[in-house]
Amino acid sequence: MTNDAVFTDELVSQNKDKSIAMLITAEISSPVHIDDACIVGVATISTDESPEEQVLFFNRVGALGKKSRRIRIIKQGLPAEFKVRDVEIHVYRNGQELVSNQSSKQYSLTQDQVHEYLTIERVSRNRGKTIDPEPAWSLAPPELFASTKEREFDYPSLFMLMPTAR
Amino acid sequence: MTGIDPNKFVPEEIVNVVMELPFYPGLENGEAIASTALVNLASFFR
């Protein structure tokens, strides 16, 4: 996913007295087919009354593929005068965030390195806790993201997991 | 790192996906431990 100059903001005046909207545009593509993706974003704005205010926006973008698509999201109901400080965009599918070039964490690692990273993150976020293993669905293989046929994958499977050696 | 119980029948295509699925490890008192988990890939869609 790309965002020209971090974000593109544009004020759309629909009613000079009341309604001001923010137009967010982005180029989005995926190396593998992804079905039913959504965009969730957070814009940080400032107004005369508030130095920092966060505005959420949401847009269903449907299927993604290798061909880049330009998406436009209009967030309405903003104050009459404001400045955009920052815009963060996240791509989700089934409630799981997908890694993109706008993500704070990006993976270009071997499988062992990914496992090591997940172990370190798990341990650092759960100090002293006892919890069960769980899949990192956001890093699932592309076959899962490309499919909408849940039944094809409906096999209870026993996994054996080993911790990363220290 | 990841294996599948050989006593269970799982189609090869599912095995291939399973072997590439990364996991957060189980923890015991904050330490990563060897553990097993029963997971259905269909959960991905829910």
Side-chain angles (χ1 to χ4, degrees):
Chain A
M1 180 170 63
T2 59
N3 253 1
D4 298 335
V6 183
F7 62 83
T8 304
D9 68 314
E10 193 175 308
L11 301 182
V12 181
S13 178
Q14 301 201 329
N15 178 323
K16 287 183 179 178
D17 295 327
K18 290 183 181 175
S19 191
I20 297 290
M22 177 167 52
L23 172 65
I24 301 109
T25 61
E27 297 284 338
I28 186 167
S29 65
S30 170
V32 298
H33 179 82
I34 295 173
D35 197 67
D36 198 21
C38 296
I39 283 189
V40 178
V42 181
T44 303
I45 64 171
S46 63
T47 64
D48 289 342
E49 292 77 32
S50 173
E52 188 172 300
E53 192 173 320
Q54 293 195 317
V55 178
L56 295 176
F57 53 89
F58 171 88
N59 192 46
R60 174 155 275 151
V61 293
L64 300 178
K66 290 179 181 174
K67 188 177 179 183
S68 181
R69 284 174 48 199
R70 190 169 188 84
I71 57 161
R72 293 161 49 91
I73 303 169
I74 296 174
K75 176 65 182 177
Q76 294 181 312
L78 297 175
E81 290 186 16
F82 66 93
K83 288 183 179 177
V84 178
R85 300 296 184 191
D86 188 28
V87 175
E88 290 181 17
I89 293 180
H90 306 270
V91 185
Y92 283 78
R93 184 188 185 278
N94 283 351
Q96 295 283 330
E97 184 175 4
L98 308 179
V99 177
S100 78
N101 65 346
Q102 298 293 306
S103 303
S104 57
K105 298 166 189 166
Q106 297 180 35
Y107 296 87
S108 180
L109 305 172
T110 66
Q111 202 171 22
D112 283 350
Q113 288 170 325
V114 168
H115 181 71
E116 187 174 352
Y117 173 81
L118 292 175
T119 300
I120 292 169
E121 183 172 89
R122 184 79 150 176
V123 168
S124 65
R125 287 190 174 191
N126 300 280
R127 294 190 187 283
K129 293 183 182 175
T130 297
I131 49 178
D132 293 329
E134 61 180 328
W137 290 119
S138 62
L139 301 176
E143 289 88 344
L144 285 174
F145 286 104
S147 177
T148 56
K149 296 172 183 169
E150 176 181 333
R151 289 173 59 188
E152 290 181 358
F153 297 93
D154 194 6
Y155 293 90
S157 309
L158 186 62
F159 299 85
M160 301 167 67
L161 308 169
M162 301 295 289
T164 301
R166 294 193 165 198
Chain B
M1 228 167 17
T2 302
I4 299 174
D5 186 344
N7 298 316
K8 292 197 182 280
F9 169 74
V10 181
E12 187 179 350
E13 309 85 70
I14 302 298
V15 171
N16 292 338
V17 174
V18 166
M19 297 304 284
E20 291 183 18
L21 179 63
F23 275 80
Y24 290 102
L27 301 183
E28 188 173 274
N29 299 321
E31 294 287 328
I33 56 168
S35 52
T36 60
L38 189 63
V39 176
N40 189 333
L41 292 178
S43 300
F44 173 80
F45 300 92
R46 296 166 193 161

